[in-house]
C-alpha cells in the first residue's frame, strides 16, 4: 500500500483524508496528546483494519473521538446511567473538552464490539486539535483512534515517528506538528458510584475532583502487572506490554543526585562491556516536560541503536509524575532498581 503524506494546511488534503475515513480507510492525525490512527468508529470492518495495521490485540478497547459534546447522545446509552452520573459527565465535558480527558460510559447499540473490545462500555473524548476536529467533522462520523504506532512500541508524538511505524500500512498520514502533551489522555470511568481513573494523564485526579466536587479514585489495576487470561482491560494499555523501546531498559529509583550518579556509573560499566548505552533523566520537578518528551526520547534512542536505556524515575507523589511513571514502568517491563 502506498501511504500518502498529507499537509495539515491543505483543504484539499483534509477533504481527501475525510473521504478515506468515510469510505472505511485509515488516516493518522495529530492530537494534543499523541498521534492517533483513525477509522470510522461505527464501521466494524474499518476498526478491524486498525487492529490489523497496529498488530493490536482484539480485546484492547479503542477511544472514540468526537468533535461536539452533543455527539455523546449518539454514542452513549444515557438511560443506563443514574442522573447524577449524567450531570457529572456534562460538567466534565463543559470544563475539560476539548482536551486530554477520555470519559467511559455505557455504549449505545450503534457502537460495534470491535470498537469497544467486546465491552458494554465505550470510551470517548474530544481532542484539542483543530486538525483532528476538522477531520472528524468532515468525515461525518466519530473516529476510533488508538495511538498511531505498532502495538507495544512507544506512542508517536511526532509525524516522523508515525511514518516509521505506519508507512505502507495505512492510506494516509497528516504531517502535523509535534504533540504538546506527549502522553495519552486521562481515562475516567463514569459508570460506577465513584469516578475512577483507569489511565492517568496530564489531567489529574485533583483537577477532576475539583470540577465535580467529589473524590476521584484510581483503578486498582494501575498497580498490577498487565497480562493474565482473567484480566479484562477496561481501557487502552491496561493489559498488554506497552510503550516498549527496542533496547533493554531499566529504571533507577531513589534520590535525584544518587540516581544521576548511578546512571553515570552504570553507563561506564556497560560501555566497558561493549554495550551502547543511552539515558533518560529529567529534572526533579519537570513533570510536564517529561510527559511531552518521554516517548520521543525513547524513539530517538532506538534510532541511535542503543543496547540499553537507563532512566531515572520521577516522583509519583506528583500526579503528572505518576502518569509519566505509569508509561515509564511499562516501557521498562517493570525492571526497576532502587538506588
Amino acid at each position: 500500500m502506498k501511504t500518502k503524506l498529507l499537509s495539515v494546511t491543505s483543504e484539499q488534503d483534509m477533504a481527501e483524508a475525510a473521504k478515506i475515513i468515510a469510505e472505511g480507510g485509515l488516516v493518522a492525525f495529530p492530537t494534543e496528546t499523541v498521534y492517533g490512527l483513525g477509522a470510522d468508529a461505527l464501521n466494524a470492518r474499518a476498526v478491524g483494519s486498525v487492529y490489523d495495521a497496529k498488530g493490536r490485540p482484539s480485546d484492547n478497547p479503542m477511544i472514540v473521538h468526537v468533535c461536539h459534546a452533543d455527539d455523546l447522545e449518539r454514542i452513549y446509552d444515557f438511560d443506563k446511567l443514574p442522573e447524577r452520573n449524567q450531570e457529572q459527565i456534562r460538567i466534565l465535558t463543559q470544563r475539560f473538552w476539548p482536551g486530554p480527558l477520555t470519559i467511559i460510559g455505557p455504549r449505545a447499540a450503534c457502537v460495534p464490539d470491535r470498537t469497544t473490545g467486546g465491552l458494554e462500555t465505550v470510551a470517548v473524548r474530544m481532542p484539542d486539535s483543530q486538525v483532528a476536529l476538522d477531520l472528524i467533522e468532515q468525515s461525518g462520523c466519530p473516529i476510533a483512534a488508538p495511538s498511531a504506532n505498532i502495538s507495544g512500541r512507544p506512542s508517536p508524538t511526532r509525524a516522523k515517528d508515525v511514518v516509521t511505524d505506519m508507512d505502507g500500512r495505512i492510506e494516509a498520514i497528516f504531517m502535523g506538528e509535534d504533540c504538546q502533551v506527549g502522553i495519552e489522555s486521562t481515562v475516567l470511568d463514569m459508570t460506577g458510584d465513584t469516578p475512577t481513573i483507569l489511565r492517568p494523564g496530564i489531567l489529574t485526579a485533583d483537577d477532576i475532583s475539583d470540577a465535580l466536587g467529589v473524590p476521584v479514585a484510581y483503578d486498582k489495576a494501575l498497580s498490577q502487572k498487565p497480562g493474565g487470561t482473567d484480566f479484562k482491560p477496561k481501557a487502552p494499555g491496561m493489559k498488554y506490554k506497552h510503550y516498549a523501546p527496542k533496547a533493554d531498559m531499566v529504571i533507577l529509583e531513589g534520590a535525584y543526585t544518587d540516581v544521576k550518579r548511578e546512571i553515570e556509573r552504570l553507563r561506564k560499566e556497560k560501555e566497558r562491556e561493549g554495550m551502547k548505552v543511552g539515558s533518560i533523566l529529567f529534572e526533579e520537578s519537570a513533570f510536564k516536560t517529561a510527559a511531552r518528551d518521554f516517548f520521543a526520547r525513547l524513539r530517538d534512542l532506538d534510532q541511535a541503536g542503543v543496547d540499553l536505556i537507563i532512566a531515572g524515575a520521577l516522583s509519583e507523589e506528583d500526579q503528572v509524575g505518576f502518569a509519566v511513571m505509569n508509561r515509564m514502568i511499562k516501557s521498562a517491563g517493570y525492571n526497576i532498581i532502587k538506588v
Side-chain angles (χ1 to χ4, degrees), residues 56 61-65 102 115 123-125 143-146 185 187 199 236:
R56 182 183 177 93
M62 296 197 185
I63 292 173
V64 176
H65 294 65
T102 294
T115 300
V124 187
R125 93 173 183 102
I143 291 180
S185 60
V187 176
R199 182 179 71 188

Side-chain angles (χ1 to χ4, degrees), residues 234-270:
K234 296 180 181 178
M238 292 184 73
K239 181 175 182 180
Y240 296 96
K241 184 179 179 182
H242 238 54
Y243 319 122
K246 296 176 183 176
D248 291 333
M249 181 172 168
V250 62
I251 298 171
L252 304 185
E253 185 178 72
Y256 182 82
T257 53
D258 293 340
V259 167
K260 186 175 183 179
R261 187 183 308 115
E262 181 63 10
I263 285 176
E264 288 308 307
R265 188 200 69 79
L266 192 56
R267 178 205 294 273
K268 291 177 182 177
E269 175 186 305
K270 295 301 180 181

